[in-house]
Amino acid sequence: WRTRHLIDISIILMTLFITLTGQWLAPHDQRERLTVLITADAYLTPPFPIGTPGYWLGSDQYGRDLLSRLLVGTRPTMLAIGVVALLRVFIGVALGSIMVFGSSLWAAVGAVVYRIITIIPVFLSALLTLVFVGSHTDLWVFLVALTWSGWGEVAQYVEARAREFREQPVYEAARSGGSSHISIVLFHLLRLLTPALPALLLREIGNTLVVLAGLGFLRYRDWE
């Protein structure tokens, strides 16, 4: 468990470094197009192969340097992934709390929503969202596609912890003192969940990266 989290943290720190410095590390302007590249041996037309001098990861069909686009594009991608991960954790905490502390109606609605959402794999849900909305490059489309179905694991964890908390004497003491379920969630449950929130956030960042990579493999483009 510790080894896995150390690896996750190392990858995130490396990605954070690229996010902060990629703009200056990029050898070319990521938007610069080149129709012909003159080398010592030949004239090359796009896409340039991997290992081409000056274009070590090659280029796309427009002659844009892939290494530069990767370095520069990491920043907006990671910002969007961070937003998605935060939204997933927020929705998961809210729904998990509702399923335990909400009224009978809201608890039932939350349980139904949870089952409907989690019955479809996250990647497939994101793909279906993009197919339904359209494969636009707008950032909000990807935010919706990656957020709306990715909070199931967080909700499941929060629900389990909330049910454990409900069995503790502190819950009965709070209820006896007149505290509402909302105040119990805000002042007691969230404090109990606080140590686990960074790990949940890191996991959602990793899950979002995996889904985004899969969508990229299927040639769904994100923002430039």
Side-chain angles (χ1 to χ4, degrees):
W1 181 88
R2 291 182 178 179
T3 302
R4 177 183 175 184
H5 279 278
L6 285 175
I7 294 174
D8 292 342
I9 293 173
S10 299
I11 294 174
I12 291 174
L13 289 177
M14 181 178 66
T15 305
L16 180 61
F17 174 77
I18 295 175
T19 300
L20 297 175
T21 63
Q23 188 74 36
W24 295 277
L25 294 177
H28 299 280
D29 184 341
Q30 78 279 9
R31 295 164 296 186
E32 180 184 5
R33 301 190 180 195
L34 196 64
T35 55
V36 177
L37 178 64
I38 303 175
T39 66
D41 301 324
Y43 290 84
L44 300 177
T45 57
F48 308 137
I50 295 176
T52 300
Y55 292 80
W56 302 112
L57 291 184
S59 74
D60 61 11
Q61 66 270 31
Y62 303 109
R64 297 177 297 189
D65 180 38
L66 291 181
L67 176 59
S68 299
R69 291 179 64 78
L70 176 64
L71 292 173
V72 176
T74 300
R75 178 178 297 179
T77 300
M78 288 306 300
L79 287 176
I81 287 174
V83 171
V84 169
L86 286 172
L87 289 175
R88 284 182 171 186
V89 171
F90 175 80
I91 295 173
V93 170
L95 190 70
S97 302
I98 288 173
M99 288 191 292
V100 177
F101 295 109
S103 63
S104 300
L105 176 60
W106 282 108
V109 171
V112 170
V113 171
Y114 170 78
R115 288 183 176 85
I116 292 175
I117 293 299
T118 55
I119 199 173
I120 305 175
V122 177
F123 174 77
L124 182 58
S125 298
L127 182 60
L128 291 176
T129 303
L130 290 175
V131 170
F132 179 76
V133 177
S135 57
H136 306 296
T137 59
D138 295 336
L139 176 58
W140 73 268
V141 175
F142 282 86
L143 292 179
V144 171
L146 295 173
T147 300
W148 81 280
S149 62
W151 40 260
E153 293 182 2
V154 177
Q156 185 180 34
Y157 174 82
V158 172
E159 181 190 12
R161 296 303 304 271
R163 294 194 183 281
E164 292 176 2
F165 172 73
R166 196 164 184 172
E167 301 298 327
Q168 296 178 5
V170 65
Y171 169 77
E172 295 297 335
R175 290 295 291 168
S176 300
S179 299
S180 64
H181 278 143
I182 294 178
S183 64
I184 290 175
V185 170
L186 292 177
F187 297 107
H188 295 282
L189 181 61
L190 287 182
R191 185 165 54 186
L192 180 67
L193 294 173
T194 297
L197 290 180
L200 293 174
L201 182 61
L202 288 176
R203 183 171 63 181
E204 290 308 316
I205 289 174
N207 292 340
T208 307
L209 278 170
V210 170
V211 176
L212 188 60
L215 293 173
F217 178 76
L218 294 180
R219 303 189 69 80
Y220 276 90
R221 295 176 57 200
D222 60 347
W223 51 97
E224 294 188 355

